[in-house]
Amino acid sequence: MPIYSLQAQAMDILLLFGLLSVSGLRLGEARNLKLSDIDFDAAVLTIRGTKFGKSRLVPMHASTCAVLQDYTKRRRQHCAAQAASPYLFTSRLGNRLDVGDIHRTFYTLSRQIGLRGATDSHGPRLHDMRHVFATNTLVRWYEAEQDPERLLPILSTYLGHVHVADTQWYLTGSPELMKEAMRRLERRWEDRT
């Protein structure tokens, strides 16, 4: 495979990582996205056949839409095999990105930026992006003085969880959330005195 193709495939994988980090999707959900699952006008992804066999709609930020539109335009112009593929994230041959290639790229990048030692078999995982997305959403709600307890079912549905308890599992032990909880507790105590 020519160097350009390897670099281009790495860029496709990096775009996939970006989508995972801003959407909270599972890796399999992102890998299975088809071009027909993207509604750029409504800024919505349709996630089909999820972990629990259901489909759901996932809204996208305008910046995410712009990046995905640019990506699909470039791939139509520069790679006939990709242009013919129904999948959003593909290899240069037009097949869905290989899950092994995705993980190897993630591990390589994790080592290059110092999140994982050269020989470490443990470290950050792709699925951690989903946990970070959920935690950051809750932290933003706290910071905006919204009621996270009331909004948690919305986050749960967005992530494709069947039960709110499944989402709560993602949020345990987060220092950012503990800080927000302590801030609210202190404020409550101050209000009592």
Side-chain angles (χ1 to χ4, degrees), residues 29 32 47-56:
E29 293 170 345
N32 290 331
I47 309 302
R48 301 180 195 283
T50 67
K51 184 176 179 179
F52 302 103
K54 297 181 179 183
S55 294
R56 71 183 190 279

Coordinates of all heavy atoms in Angstrom, one line a residue, residues 29 32 47-56:
E29 N -21.0 1.4 16.7 CA -22.0 2.2 16.1 C -21.4 3.2 15.0 O -22.0 3.4 14.0 CB -22.7 3.1 17.2 CG -23.5 2.2 18.1 CD -24.0 2.9 19.3 OE1 -23.5 4.0 19.6 OE2 -24.9 2.4 20.0
N32 N -20.4 1.3 11.9 CA -21.5 0.9 11.1 C -22.3 2.0 10.4 O -23.2 1.7 9.7 CB -22.4 0.0 11.9 CG -21.9 -1.3 12.3 OD1 -21.0 -1.9 11.5 ND2 -22.2 -1.8 13.4
I47 N -28.5 6.1 14.3 CA -27.7 4.9 14.8 C -28.7 3.7 14.7 O -29.6 3.6 15.4 CB -27.2 5.2 16.2 CG1 -26.5 6.5 16.3 CG2 -26.3 4.1 16.6 CD1 -25.4 6.8 15.4
R48 N -28.3 2.8 13.8 CA -29.2 1.6 13.6 C -28.6 0.4 14.2 O -27.4 0.2 14.3 CB -29.3 1.4 12.1 CG -29.9 2.5 11.4 CD -30.1 2.3 9.9 NE -30.3 3.5 9.2 CZ -31.5 4.1 9.1 NH1 -32.5 3.6 9.8 NH2 -31.6 5.3 8.5
G49 N -29.4 -0.5 14.7 CA -29.0 -1.8 15.2 C -28.0 -1.7 16.3 O -26.9 -2.3 16.2
T50 N -28.3 -1.0 17.3 CA -27.3 -0.7 18.4 C -27.1 -2.0 19.2 O -27.7 -3.0 18.9 CB -27.8 0.4 19.3 OG1 -29.0 0.0 20.0 CG2 -28.1 1.7 18.5
K51 N -26.4 -1.8 20.3 CA -26.1 -2.9 21.2 C -27.4 -3.7 21.6 O -27.4 -4.9 21.8 CB -25.4 -2.4 22.4 CG -24.9 -3.4 23.4 CD -24.1 -2.7 24.5 CE -23.6 -3.6 25.5 NZ -22.8 -3.0 26.6
F52 N -28.5 -2.9 21.8 CA -29.7 -3.5 22.2 C -30.7 -3.7 21.1 O -31.9 -3.9 21.4 CB -30.3 -2.7 23.4 CG -29.3 -2.6 24.5 CD1 -28.6 -1.4 24.8 CD2 -29.1 -3.7 25.4 CE1 -27.7 -1.3 25.8 CE2 -28.2 -3.6 26.4 CZ -27.5 -2.4 26.6
G53 N -30.3 -3.6 19.9 CA -31.1 -3.8 18.7 C -32.1 -2.7 18.4 O -32.9 -2.9 17.5
K54 N -31.9 -1.6 19.0 CA -32.8 -0.5 18.7 C -32.1 0.6 17.9 O -30.8 0.5 17.8 CB -33.2 0.2 20.0 CG -34.0 -0.7 20.9 CD -34.5 0.0 22.2 CE -35.3 -0.9 23.1 NZ -35.8 -0.2 24.2
S55 N -32.8 1.5 17.3 CA -32.2 2.6 16.6 C -32.5 3.8 17.4 O -33.5 3.9 18.2 CB -32.8 2.7 15.2 OG -32.5 1.6 14.4
R56 N -31.7 4.9 17.2 CA -31.9 6.1 17.8 C -31.3 7.3 17.0 O -30.5 7.0 16.1 CB -31.2 6.1 19.2 CG -29.7 6.2 19.3 CD -29.2 6.1 20.7 NE -27.8 6.3 20.8 CZ -26.9 5.5 20.6 NH1 -27.2 4.2 20.2 NH2 -25.6 5.8 20.8

